[in-house]
Amino acid sequence: MFSTFLSNEIRFMLVIEQDSSETNTPNFRTESGSIDWDKVRQFFEPDIVSHNEPLSHQYCTALTPKFHQFLKSFSTITPPNHLQWTNRLDLLNNVLSQRSCTLTNLLILTSIVEYSLGNLFLTQTGGITPPHLLRDLLMTDALTNLLGETTIFLLRVLLGSPNGINLRNLVWHGFPSEGEVSGLYRNFLVEMLNSIGGRLEELGFVVEFRSCLQESNLLVRKMNLPRFDVALLEEVVTSSSELQEIQRAGWLRSIALYKEGQFYCCVCMVLPQLEMFLRILYGGLYGRDFRAKIDEYYIIMDTIFEEFESVTEARNRMHDYFRIDLLEAMYDLLSAIKGPRLRDKLSHGELQSTDIDENVANGVLLLSYVILTNDSSFE
């Protein structure tokens, strides 16, 4: 059993250690509680790298203690009132109500940040399609000219570089457990979204929202999945020896969200958990280290689903472990270009909360059950 899915280097950057001896955390708030950008700029001025310059791992590692110190000033959230520009108020209200765990909140927030910044880019450039990857989006002149180097710098260190904390990719690929992600990340991202919204209002900048009608509900229904009793999955998650212990809480939280009727949050939680389960299995079949590391690409879903390995052209051992129709069902749900592609659309913030209804969530939990149990009776 593993105690973490993070390499030591990544864990150092991600996990914010609470030091009770710290008493002089700088204050980066104005009297009204908003981010004081003058103080932030002064604090990071010697360290700021231009938006179009790469961030090295050595640089990000050296910056980590200072960045964590900065984040510790966000122990609370000032009630936000400039979030309309995100076009995701219902999801943000869920985050602010703290009904969900920190990991769920970060899945939602990182996707909203990416979607919203993409809308800013689209509007600022007069209709140019935003770069597909967040790291490329954060290196554009268009966003920097609108938001400033300091804002972009902070977002790059936290979200936009594989050599940095890389929070968005880590949570959406299922690597951190609940105890490894601090609520400070949640607080800072909410404050950042609110601060950007305030600046846009000052500028009179009207955001054009991208149309993201994806018909995911319809596409999932076309898969003709039978109705599933979620209690079966709960039983497996509670008792299965195949699950890593540090994953169990995340799975149980996903099921609890389903029971609470929070279907969007449920699916956001389940998909990274499922990907991590498959990654661990794939790593075991090939004797590969499946943890998140700085100097290697993650084992991703495309690698797990491909029938033949790209390098050796040998048959993928996952295709011998699972029945082909199970892999095809998972591929259709998660990766197929003409399929629902739920994980991609959710992680890029392209779906509204209403796009994920009970039918979609139930179908995802059914396929999760079948994969966890490798159920040969599934039709």
Side-chain angles (χ1 to χ4, degrees), residues 338-357:
K338 294 184 179 180
R341 289 179 54 244
L342 288 179
R343 187 197 157 280
D344 275 357
K345 292 173 183 175
L346 283 168
S347 66
H348 293 298
E350 296 174 3
L351 298 181
Q352 299 272 16
S353 59
T354 52
D355 291 324
I356 304 296
D357 61 11

Side-chain angles (χ1 to χ4, degrees), residues 134-188:
L134 179 58
R135 67 169 180 258
D136 295 333
L137 179 61
L138 288 171
M139 294 180 75
T140 60
D141 294 338
L143 281 189
T144 305
N145 292 339
L146 182 62
L147 302 179
E149 285 282 4
T150 306
T151 299
I152 295 299
F153 167 75
L154 295 178
L155 289 172
R156 289 184 69 205
V157 171
L158 180 58
L159 304 173
S161 170
N163 291 322
I165 296 172
N166 206 14
L167 182 65
R168 183 261 180 209
N169 282 352
L170 287 178
V171 296
W172 275 103
H173 286 290
F175 288 106
S177 59
E178 174 68 16
E180 292 176 312
V181 286
S182 170
L184 295 171
Y185 289 123
R186 163 190 175 270
N187 296 353
F188 172 67

